[in-house]
Amino acid sequence: MKRLTPILVFVLVMAACSRHDSDLPQPLPIIEPPTPINFIVSTQDSIVYDLSWDVEDPSVVSYYRVYTQVLIPYVEPQIDTTTVTSVHVDLGLPLPVGFCVSSISVENVESRLNCATGE
Amino acid sequence: MVYRDATDRHNWYDRRFSARVCVGILCLLVLILPAQGFAGEKGALVRSLLIPGLGQAHQGHYTRAAIFAGSAVVSGFGLVVSHIHYNQAVDKYRDRKRTYFSYEDQLESGQIVSFEEINGTYQAMETAWDEAEDRLMWRNVFLGALVATYAVNIVDVLISKPHKLDSGNRLAIDVNRDRFLVVKTIRF
């Protein structure tokens, strides 16, 4: 048994050895900012658009990002940032595009997008 | 791409380690077994310590030797394969964990990070952790099977006696009028 003991100890140590965390780490204390709601896109000529939206708790929002929903050559998807809940967009060309808006929290976390097309 | 390279390198290390272990065991066998002082029951114990079933074969219990050797080969092969799979799962988990906790630095440095991306990475990390736990369980199952095989094999070789009938009658000559037979008796 004296010879068996080191072998058994080695095997038990190997069995107890795991290379990953025994518990899943806790999530980072990141709070999702409120997604903009009641997003309305209105246009008269498909060139100039008026966008407006609401947000449940504006106090946690630093600013908003506005995106075009489709990719257009030489046009950046993100077209504007604003601290207010409405924006006037002039595309310069009659393009039937959709728009999306998101809110950015004071911790630099971006919310989910809310998208809508022009009416 | 970086993850793939790291995984390939890790597998290569694992294979090289396994090959070294096998060569080491073979060297031990070559060096120890022919040495004097390992005959009889002591020799059977040493052989069973090195390879399950070898001691039983030395004692003349060939069926039990085959069972122990087969069990050791299956559980040993399963242990190596499950250990490699476990290492791959751990690498994947660590990669996701590193990505997830890098978001904290990115946010502190002023970069905008989508909550969906952060949440998706956490879920991917959770999935990788579950996978690592699952593969660790299988590795320990095969390890347990190998340990049990070794333990039962050693207990068996300690309590069983060599076949005494074989020691005196391993070879016999059966002479008839027109022929003679050399008979080798093997007991199971």
Side-chain angles (χ1 to χ4, degrees):
Chain A
M1 283 305 291
K2 283 181 182 176
R3 288 181 180 177
L4 288 179
T5 307
I7 296 171
L8 289 174
V9 168
F10 170 75
V11 167
L12 289 174
V13 166
M14 192 179 164
C17 170
S18 64
R19 291 178 57 230
H20 71 288
D21 300 321
S22 56
D23 294 312
L24 188 67
Q26 290 296 313
L28 293 170
I30 294 170
I31 299 167
E32 182 181 9
T35 305
I37 54 174
N38 302 326
F39 183 38
I40 297 169
V41 179
S42 56
T43 182
Q44 299 293 327
D45 50 10
S46 297
I47 299 174
V48 178
Y49 290 84
D50 288 309
L51 317 178
S52 66
W53 60 90
D54 295 321
V55 71
E56 283 183 355
D57 185 8
S59 64
V60 296
V61 177
S62 177
Y63 60 94
Y64 303 93
R65 273 181 167 180
V66 178
Y67 299 87
T68 53
Q69 201 176 10
V70 293
L71 290 174
I72 306 166
Y74 308 111
V75 177
E76 289 292 325
Q78 182 195 330
I79 56 171
D80 204 358
T81 59
T82 179
T83 55
V84 294
T85 57
S86 63
V87 70
H88 185 77
V89 178
D90 187 350
L91 294 175
L93 290 169
L95 295 170
V97 296
F99 292 92
C100 296
V101 64
S102 68
S103 58
I104 309 297
S105 71
V106 290
E107 290 95 11
N108 298 317
V109 180
E110 184 172 18
S111 74
R112 290 179 169 82
L113 298 177
N114 189 352
C115 298
T117 52
E119 296 171 356
Chain B
M1 193 64 187
V2 172
Y3 163 71
R4 189 178 165 187
D5 288 347
T7 306
D8 290 345
R9 192 166 58 245
H10 200 89
N11 289 343
W12 185 76
Y13 283 141
D14 273 342
R15 282 196 291 270
R16 196 174 66 170
F17 177 74
S18 303
R20 281 182 177 177
V21 169
C22 292
V23 169
I25 289 172
L26 285 175
C27 288
L28 275 173
L29 280 173
V30 169
L31 290 172
I32 291 174
L33 292 182
Q36 290 182 353
F38 287 106
E41 291 181 21
K42 193 178 176 184
L45 178 62
V46 171
R47 283 169 171 81
S48 274
L49 279 170
L50 289 171
I51 294 178
L54 207 59
Q56 283 80 1
H58 183 67
Q59 288 180 329
H61 304 295
Y62 297 108
T63 305
R64 276 187 273 174
I67 290 169
F68 284 121
S71 177
V73 166
V74 169
S75 53
F77 181 74
L79 177 62
V80 171
V81 171
S82 59
H83 188 68
I84 290 170
H85 284 173
Y86 171 61
N87 280 340
Q88 288 173 346
V90 170
D91 287 341
K92 191 193 290 184
Y93 164 70
R94 285 181 174 173
D95 188 48
R96 305 263 167 88
K97 184 182 173 185
R98 191 167 47 247
T99 305
Y100 181 70
F101 284 101
S102 71
Y103 290 134
E104 200 168 22
D105 297 330
Q106 289 178 37
L107 291 172
E108 281 177 6
S109 67
Q111 289 183 51
I112 306 298
V113 184
S114 161
F115 184 81
E116 280 183 313
E117 185 184 337
I118 297 171
N119 203 32
T121 306
Y122 186 79
Q123 286 174 0
M125 184 179 78
E126 195 174 11
T127 305
W129 186 83
D130 287 340
E131 193 179 355
E133 280 282 299
D134 190 47
R135 291 184 176 186
L136 176 66
M137 182 201 72
W138 279 110
R139 191 200 74 169
N140 288 344
V141 164
F142 281 112
L143 185 64
L146 189 61
V147 170
T149 303
Y150 257 96
V152 175
N153 150 69
I154 288 165
V155 169
D156 178 72
V157 87
L158 284 173
I159 62 174
S160 59
K161 301 287 181 189
H163 274 298
K164 288 181 180 175
L165 287 174
D166 281 352
S167 60
N169 300 315
R170 282 185 179 165
L171 280 176
I173 297 177
D174 185 11
V175 182
N176 291 331
R177 280 184 185 175
D178 55 345
R179 62 177 184 171
F180 71 93
L181 297 172
V182 178
V183 181
K184 166 76 173 172
T185 306
I186 299 173
R187 289 186 174 273
F188 295 96

